[in-house]
Amino acid sequence: MKKLHRITVGPLGVNCYVMGDLETRQAVVFDPGAEFGRLQELLKKEGYTPIAVLLTHAHFDHIGALPELSKQYDIPVWCAEGDRELYGSPENGMPPWYPAVKGLPALSQERCDFGYRLIATPGHTPGGVSYYFPEEGIVLTGDTLFAGAVGRTDFPGGDEGQLKSSIKEKLFTLPPTTKVYPGHGFPTTIGTEKMDPYFA
């Protein structure tokens, strides 16, 4: 049995998620955007041993705590091939307000298996992905799908048509009761978002 924890971090309010196995006490961290201390506090409080970091995409606001996290725990970090160039790019920031993240760890070629199904959901970024946990009825959508909104596509590599297709053809095939945990904002469900006129 697994339990999902959410910490909203950083000036842009990124949702960092920790999925913990209640039997093994192992955990996977998703999108550690900032405030490593709070993440570490949660891991200690729950008695979790982190075994990997998985990214929904490689924008700066979702990877800001990676240097500290990697230094502390020395665990593999994975993101999809389509975002690997973005991950290491010096332009991966929002200057002059938010500089690119420095000191990032090298990406792993091996992706941790933790009971999820990987769903390619490009559009916000070329390598955007979602993580569906069928037993828990949960999908982590990053900046692809939000409660009442979709991800921006005006950043380099964004594609509105591709994003819409990712949502309609992939995410909306999940059971309507599936709980959506997005990269920003509050949870929703697949059934609720399918009713949005934008997808008609």
Side-chain angles (χ1 to χ4, degrees), residues 27-29 43 49-54 66 69-78 105-106 108:
V28 171
V29 178
L43 293 169
T49 299
I51 60 172
V53 176
L54 298 174
L66 269 177
L69 189 152
S70 180
K71 183 179 179 181
Q72 180 70 32
Y73 295 107
D74 190 27
I75 54 178
V77 179
W78 184 89
S108 173

Side-chain angles (χ1 to χ4, degrees), residues 21-192:
D21 188 307
L22 298 180
E23 294 182 6
T24 66
R25 309 313 294 184
Q26 293 182 331
V28 171
V29 178
F30 295 87
D31 293 357
E35 300 182 57
F36 169 69
R38 291 181 60 205
L39 173 58
Q40 187 177 39
E41 182 180 339
L42 185 148
L43 293 169
K44 288 182 177 180
K45 177 183 176 182
E46 298 295 333
Y48 290 144
T49 299
I51 60 172
V53 176
L54 298 174
L55 303 177
T56 62
H57 65 294
H59 276 154
F60 74 96
D61 55 326
H62 291 252
I63 61 175
L66 269 177
E68 290 178 277
L69 189 152
S70 180
K71 183 179 179 181
Q72 180 70 32
Y73 295 107
D74 190 27
I75 54 178
V77 179
W78 184 89
C79 82
E81 189 65 35
D83 268 22
R84 288 182 172 241
E85 183 177 350
L86 175 64
Y87 175 86
S89 171
E91 299 178 355
N92 185 7
M94 194 181 288
W97 304 280
Y98 305 109
V101 182
K102 296 180 180 179
L104 289 168
L107 290 170
S108 173
Q109 295 297 327
E110 299 295 324
R111 175 165 46 86
C112 171
D113 181 11
F114 206 66
Y116 61 84
R117 175 160 65 89
L118 184 71
I119 305 174
T121 48
H124 178 65
T125 64
V129 297
S130 297
Y131 299 89
Y132 173 49
F133 289 84
E135 289 191 15
E136 290 73 26
I138 287 171
V139 63
L140 309 181
T141 57
D143 287 3
T144 297
L145 179 64
F146 304 114
V150 300
R152 293 178 61 167
T153 55
D154 56 341
F155 295 128
D159 185 314
E160 183 179 4
Q162 192 176 47
L163 181 77
K164 197 170 185 178
S165 294
S166 291
I167 296 170
K168 292 182 68 175
E169 298 173 12
K170 296 181 180 179
L171 295 180
F172 282 177
T173 65
L174 300 177
T177 56
T178 302
K179 294 179 181 178
V180 176
Y181 287 88
H184 303 264
F186 296 101
T188 181
T189 66
I190 290 294
T192 298

